[in-house]
Amino acid sequence: MIILKLGGSIITKKDYATPTLDNKNLARIAHEISESSYGKLIIVHGAGSFGHPFASKYGIGDEIKDDQDLWNKMLGFSITQHGVKELNGLVCEYLRIHGVLSVSIQPSSFMLTKNKRLYSASLDLIRKYLDLGFVPVIYGDVVLDLDESIKIAVLSGDQIVKYLAENLRPERVIMASDVDGIYNKNPKINPDAELLKVVTSNEQIELIKNNQTVDVTGGMSGKLTELLELANLGVESEIINANKFNIIKNALNGEKVTGTLIKKNI
Amino acid sequence: MIILKLGGSIITKKDYATPTLDNKNLARIAHEISESSYGKLIIVHGAGSFGHPFASKYGIGDEIKDDQDLWNKMLGFSITQHGVKELNGLVCEYLRIHGVLSVSIQPSSFMLTKNKRLYSASLDLIRKYLDLGFVPVIYGDVVLDLDESIKIAVLSGDQIVKYLAENLRPERVIMASDVDGIYNKNPKINPDAELLKVVTSNEQIELIKNNQTVDVTGGMSGKLTELLELANLGVESEIINANKFNIIKNALNGEKVTGTLIKKNI
């Protein structure tokens, strides 16, 4: 089994203020997946511009101040849920058009969080879809949260990857992003920056961070935390650059590709 | 709590070969719901032209002949799931635009059937959405089936209504259709046909059916079977005509409206 995460920055125009698909990229990636010889495959995708602008505007996951604020956040929940569902529909459709038997899985229908962390979710149906030969396509979503002070939260695709990998123990976890992986320095301003082939600890990342030259802030930092936790549970993962032609296809075919491997510190 | 079923014939152009919304009807109904003083409300909707043409074309729920047939049915599953999800997105959006805090609930993410009957499904999340003040919107969908000879099945909105009502015990179950209710004769060919105010048994329906003058075939017959089973479990329901202006609004406001009540035979 392979878990393939498609970052929101890969399949959408991430920095746009309104939902905008990167349809060229999505079509190419769907084609690469269909051309590969994957066995059991789960696809997890991010929200990009179909989710973040709404979740941020309505402060989903922030503490609820009063009833009016709750109503407003619930409205934001409804809007965000709709946006990410739209993206999921597009991803499933592109995949199917290219010959991949996609099945949509909606997190907010069966998952919930506790203080923004995925609390519990039955994976029985996902297992059954896989056994039958479907490719389940699950995604970053808004969900109910058991913490009374926030009540609703954003559940990231990265958290879902970790949960699935922890419970389903795939042979490979592939994180398709828009960078080659983790560098020892920020490659945008340092021509001598080197791609790290392996990352094994938060300390290693902190060390690089302290040099203040590497871009492991925001998305990538959160992603690394999830992946290092996963590595400590015994599941390795790799960050690859999905903008590079055929790298997803080659990875799904079992080839070793350029990227950063996140593994346990032994 | 009220469970409101919106028939596929009400919100879509049901007999069209391709997915076609009845946007005028849906907008009016969304407006009526928003103007009513509902408390806890669950909306269940049918698939109409967003689901039936695909489910029928691919023979979803029919016995699987061979691997090629399975692949074909799985493709049909993927296409049908996408179609009904699209409709659900539209229903949720129309409701929200009119001020109803809709939340989409996707059956194929957490429900499955056994020999085409809903087998088991946790309703914890639906309860939580209701408690918070959301209006969950769930719908007829394709799902996995535990019967190895069919593997996938259509789960009708009517079956979902029965399951929800049986487990959540709402005060009222309102089945919004495109007819006033059940008649003693087919009203289209019998000017003296009378609307039955109450139906209490299958025998009563069989008796009318044997006269061969009443249209309780197809959709309505299946619906009645579900509702009579529900009545025997102690939950009454009523069939009303959602094409009539303000009848949904009045029903949600707790008024007695024209229709047929399905109740237990005492």
Side-chain angles (χ1 to χ4, degrees):
Chain A
M1 183 194 307
I2 296 177
I3 294 178
L4 170 65
K5 162 85 194 292
L6 301 175
S9 60
I10 290 296
I11 55 173
T12 78
K13 306 281 191 185
K14 196 177 180 174
D15 298 327
Y16 282 37
T18 52
T20 311
L21 194 68
D22 189 333
N23 55 328
K24 257 177 94 168
N25 240 5
L26 181 55
R28 177 183 55 79
I29 289 168
H31 180 67
E32 285 189 26
I33 294 170
S34 74
E35 281 207 316
S36 76
S37 56
Y38 60 86
K40 287 188 180 177
L41 173 65
I42 301 178
I43 294 174
V44 182
H45 66 79
S49 54
F50 286 71
H52 293 303
F54 306 126
S56 159
K57 177 180 173 189
Y58 290 93
I60 308 285
D62 294 349
E63 202 171 313
I64 292 156
K65 294 181 207 115
D66 50 36
D67 283 355
Q68 178 57 43
D69 188 41
L70 172 60
W71 195 91
N72 203 43
K73 284 186 165 55
M74 285 168 69
L75 177 63
F77 183 103
S78 182
I79 292 170
T80 312
Q81 190 205 34
H82 184 76
V84 293
K85 196 174 90 159
E86 284 274 296
L87 176 60
N88 177 251
L90 289 162
V91 174
C92 287
E93 207 167 14
Y94 272 66
L95 285 166
R96 191 179 53 252
I97 286 167
H98 285 87
V100 178
L101 288 175
S102 57
V103 163
S104 158
I105 303 288
Q106 183 182 45
S108 44
S109 287
F110 74 111
M111 289 178 155
L112 82 176
T113 51
K114 189 173 183 177
N115 199 15
K116 304 185 192 179
R117 298 298 301 170
L118 185 46
Y119 184 62
S120 75
S122 165
L123 302 180
D124 286 355
L125 276 190
I126 290 180
R127 279 197 190 90
K128 283 188 206 299
Y129 281 119
L130 283 170
D131 286 346
L132 202 48
F134 280 116
V135 174
V137 183
I138 187 165
Y139 54 101
D141 197 0
V142 282
V143 295
L144 291 177
D145 193 288
L146 291 171
D147 183 337
E148 277 301 308
S149 69
I150 59 171
K151 295 185 195 294
I152 53 177
V154 171
L155 174 61
S156 72
D158 290 334
Q159 258 205 70
I160 293 174
V161 168
K162 179 172 168 263
Y163 187 85
L164 293 176
E166 193 180 337
N167 289 281
L168 301 176
R169 300 275 156 178
E171 283 86 51
R172 204 162 174 180
V173 175
I174 301 167
M175 309 295 287
S177 73
D178 58 352
V179 291
D180 281 346
I182 310 294
Y183 284 85
N184 66 339
K185 300 174 187 174
N186 187 342
K188 286 172 193 161
I189 50 173
N190 294 286
D192 63 335
E194 280 171 27
L195 181 68
L196 300 175
K197 293 208 167 156
V198 180
V199 165
T200 56
S201 70
N202 263 320
E203 291 72 28
Q204 192 182 353
I205 298 300
E206 284 306 315
L207 208 69
I208 303 165
K209 256 194 197 168
N210 289 341
N211 293 342
Q212 300 201 346
T213 47
V214 68
D215 182 25
V216 285
T217 53
M220 193 54 94
S221 176
K223 191 192 298 292
L224 267 176
T225 307
E226 302 289 350
L227 297 180
L228 282 164
E229 282 179 33
L230 186 57
N232 283 325
L233 295 164
V235 184
E236 294 182 4
S237 58
E238 53 204 299
I239 299 172
I240 65 167
N241 190 343
N243 282 332
K244 293 199 171 161
F245 188 64
N246 271 350
I247 201 163
I248 285 186
K249 179 179 162 185
N250 293 339
L252 290 179
N253 279 337
E255 292 176 26
K256 171 109 195 72
V257 298
T258 303
T260 298
L261 186 70
I262 319 296
K263 60 182 281 189
K264 199 173 175 178
N265 195 359
I266 333 176
Chain B
M1 182 196 306
I2 295 178
I3 295 178
L4 170 65
K5 162 84 194 292
L6 301 176
S9 59
I10 289 297
I11 55 173
T12 78
K13 306 281 191 183
K14 196 177 178 176
D15 298 328
Y16 282 37
T18 52
T20 312
L21 195 68
D22 189 333
N23 56 327
K24 258 177 95 170
N25 239 7
L26 180 56
R28 178 182 55 77
I29 289 168
H31 181 67
E32 284 190 27
I33 294 170
S34 74
E35 279 207 318
S36 75
S37 56
Y38 61 83
K40 286 186 181 179
L41 174 65
I42 300 178
I43 293 175
V44 182
H45 66 78
S49 54
F50 286 71
H52 295 303
F54 306 125
S56 159
K57 177 180 173 189
Y58 290 93
I60 309 285
D62 295 348
E63 203 171 315
I64 293 157
K65 293 180 210 117
D66 49 37
D67 282 356
Q68 178 57 44
D69 188 41
L70 171 62
W71 195 91
N72 204 42
K73 283 186 165 57
M74 286 169 69
L75 177 64
F77 183 102
S78 182
I79 291 171
T80 313
Q81 190 204 35
H82 184 76
V84 294
K85 195 174 92 159
E86 283 275 297
L87 175 61
N88 178 252
L90 289 162
V91 173
C92 287
E93 206 166 17
Y94 272 67
L95 285 166
R96 190 178 58 251
I97 286 166
H98 285 87
V100 178
L101 287 175
S102 57
V103 163
S104 158
I105 303 287
Q106 183 181 44
S108 44
S109 287
F110 75 111
M111 290 177 154
L112 83 177
T113 50
K114 189 174 182 176
N115 200 13
K116 304 185 191 179
R117 300 296 303 170
L118 184 46
Y119 183 62
S120 75
S122 165
L123 302 180
D124 286 355
L125 276 189
I126 290 180
R127 279 196 189 88
K128 282 187 205 301
Y129 281 119
L130 283 170
D131 286 346
L132 202 49
F134 280 115
V135 175
V137 183
I138 187 166
Y139 54 101
D141 198 359
V142 281
V143 294
L144 291 176
D145 192 287
L146 292 171
D147 183 338
E148 278 301 309
S149 69
I150 61 170
K151 295 186 195 294
I152 53 177
V154 170
L155 175 62
S156 72
D158 290 334
Q159 260 205 68
I160 294 175
V161 167
K162 177 170 169 264
Y163 187 86
L164 293 175
E166 192 180 337
N167 288 282
L168 301 175
R169 299 275 154 178
E171 284 86 50
R172 205 163 174 179
V173 175
I174 300 167
M175 309 295 286
S177 73
D178 58 353
V179 290
D180 281 346
I182 310 294
Y183 284 84
N184 64 341
K185 302 174 187 174
N186 188 341
K188 286 173 192 160
I189 50 171
N190 293 287
D192 62 337
E194 279 172 28
L195 182 69
L196 299 174
K197 293 206 169 157
V198 180
V199 165
T200 56
S201 70
N202 262 321
E203 290 73 27
Q204 193 182 352
I205 297 301
E206 285 305 317
L207 208 69
I208 302 166
K209 258 195 197 168
N210 290 340
N211 292 342
Q212 301 201 346
T213 48
V214 67
D215 182 24
V216 285
T217 53
M220 192 55 94
S221 176
K223 193 191 297 293
L224 267 176
T225 306
E226 301 289 349
L227 298 179
L228 282 165
E229 281 180 33
L230 187 58
N232 284 325
L233 296 164
V235 183
E236 293 181 5
S237 58
E238 54 204 299
I239 298 171
I240 64 167
N241 190 343
N243 282 332
K244 293 200 171 159
F245 189 62
N246 270 351
I247 201 164
I248 285 185
K249 178 178 162 186
N250 293 339
L252 290 179
N253 280 338
E255 292 175 27
K256 170 113 196 68
V257 297
T258 303
T260 298
L261 186 70
I262 319 295
K263 60 182 283 190
K264 199 174 174 176
N265 195 0
I266 335 175

